[in-house]
Amino acid sequence: MRDSTSKAMAGPRPVVFSGPSGAGKSTLLKKLIKEHENVFGFSVSHTTRNPRPGEENGRDYHYVTREAMQAAINNGEFIENAEFSGNLYGTSKAAVQAVQAKNLICILDIDMQGVKNIKKTDLNPMYISIQPPSMEVLEKRLRDRNTESEESLQKRLHAANVDMEFSKEPGMFDVVIVNDNLEDAYKNLKQALLEEINKVKKAKASS
Ligand SMILES: Nc1ncnc2c1ncn2[C@@H]1O[C@H](COP(=O)(O)OP(=O)(O)OP(=O)(O)O)[C@@H](O)[C@H]1O
Ligand SMILES: Nc1nc2c(ncn2[C@@H]2O[C@H](COP(=O)(O)O)[C@@H](O)[C@H]2O)c(=O)[nH]1
């Protein structure tokens, strides 16, 4: 069944970022939001994982217990949710509405199960896949980030293999960006979003 709740959401077309854990999604989207804070807004997901050093509740995620999150899911408060690496993650309707109410392009950072589920809704976002140059580079980045236990790292690498195959399915993503050199990847990302950025800037200038 299609989720018709998202139909009521207005504003510019959202953008979904997906790709393996460690590919550089957060790094790129943080740069994007910093450079265009009047254009983009981040959909703050819920998760049952613990905050990492430097992460802030309500800014990076809403950190909740599994019981609270499951109850909210059962109550129909989420557009999509998924189990990833032993934790629940999900996009609440409120998170997307909060961004769209400000007439900003809503950015969702979600895993591939999220992509599949969002495709069943009426949100109609642009889908961007961020890919690492190789599995070896991905593993090094994840290890160097120093945020995962060995068990979590192995789960993420396993999911990354599945994800990298999935991203090759024709029509799954509108744009695929290989994040090798960060500045090049960022330039490609901005180019892919240029039309949407200009639309929002124009609408804001005339309002
Ligand atoms: N082009 C790049 N070159 C080198 N290091 C990078 C590059 N892009 C990102 N990194 C680093 O790789 C690590 C993983 O990046 P990041 O946390 O942005 O990935 P992610 O896709 O958001 O991961 P997750 O899905 O787990 O949140 C970080 O330590 C980041 O600083
Ligand atoms: N389906 C969803 N996936 C999400 C959501 N928020 C984040 N994510 C994805 O989870 C993994 C791991 O994230 P991390 O912050 O623990 O490294 C990553 O692939 C994110 O894209 C969500 O709301 N729904």
Side-chain angles (χ1 to χ4, degrees):
M1 198 176 75
R2 294 179 80 79
D3 177 359
S4 57
T5 315
S6 51
K7 231 184 213 168
M9 297 174 184
R13 192 176 181 203
V15 181
V16 160
F17 277 70
S18 197
S21 171
K25 301 179 295 298
S26 314
T27 305
L28 286 164
L29 68 84
K30 277 179 186 159
K31 263 173 97 68
L32 188 69
I33 293 173
K34 195 172 171 200
E35 189 181 337
H36 299 282
E37 58 181 348
N38 293 323
V39 175
F40 294 99
F42 184 56
S43 161
V44 181
S45 292
H46 283 59
T47 183
T48 61
R49 83 153 163 77
N50 291 325
R52 295 175 184 144
E55 287 186 341
E56 210 176 277
N57 190 31
R59 183 193 67 185
D60 298 287
Y61 281 106
H62 299 289
Y63 300 95
V64 288
T65 62
R66 184 171 281 266
E67 292 69 30
M69 184 145 173
Q70 195 56 61
I73 292 167
N74 295 347
N75 201 30
E77 293 172 28
F78 282 79
I79 301 174
E80 63 77 32
N81 61 272
E83 179 98 28
F84 181 89
S85 188
N87 283 295
L88 276 177
Y89 293 81
T91 307
S92 71
K93 292 172 185 170
V96 175
Q97 278 164 348
V99 177
Q100 294 196 322
K102 294 185 216 156
N103 269 320
L104 299 174
I105 297 175
C106 182
I107 290 182
L108 285 76
D109 175 350
I110 58 176
D111 82 327
M112 64 173 181
Q113 302 162 79
V115 170
K116 286 178 188 165
N117 288 329
I118 288 288
K119 282 180 183 262
K120 295 177 199 155
T121 73
D122 294 318
L123 195 67
N124 188 34
M126 180 177 189
Y127 293 93
I128 299 184
S129 170
I130 306 296
Q131 292 290 318
S134 66
M135 276 303 289
E136 290 70 29
V137 170
L138 182 76
E139 179 167 350
K140 183 173 183 333
R141 284 185 190 164
L142 269 182
R143 286 193 185 279
D144 289 352
R145 193 173 70 179
N146 221 9
T147 52
E148 309 308 316
S149 65
E150 187 59 30
E151 189 192 355
S152 165
L153 193 115
Q154 291 305 330
K155 282 185 187 166
R156 283 167 188 256
L157 291 176
H158 174 74
N161 271 308
V162 180
D163 187 300
M164 285 165 84
E165 280 310 303
F166 166 72
S167 68
K168 290 180 195 153
E169 269 188 40
M172 197 52 73
F173 290 97
D174 299 301
V175 181
V176 177
I177 291 173
V178 178
N179 177 22
D180 190 352
N181 175 281
L182 184 61
E183 289 315 316
D184 289 346
Y186 185 56
K187 212 186 292 169
N188 292 339
L189 177 63
K190 281 201 293 186
Q191 187 57 40
L193 291 168
L194 192 62
E195 205 178 313
E196 297 301 318
I197 293 172
N198 285 340
K199 266 192 224 166
V200 172
K201 282 187 175 168
K202 206 171 156 194
K204 284 195 182 279
S206 64
S207 68

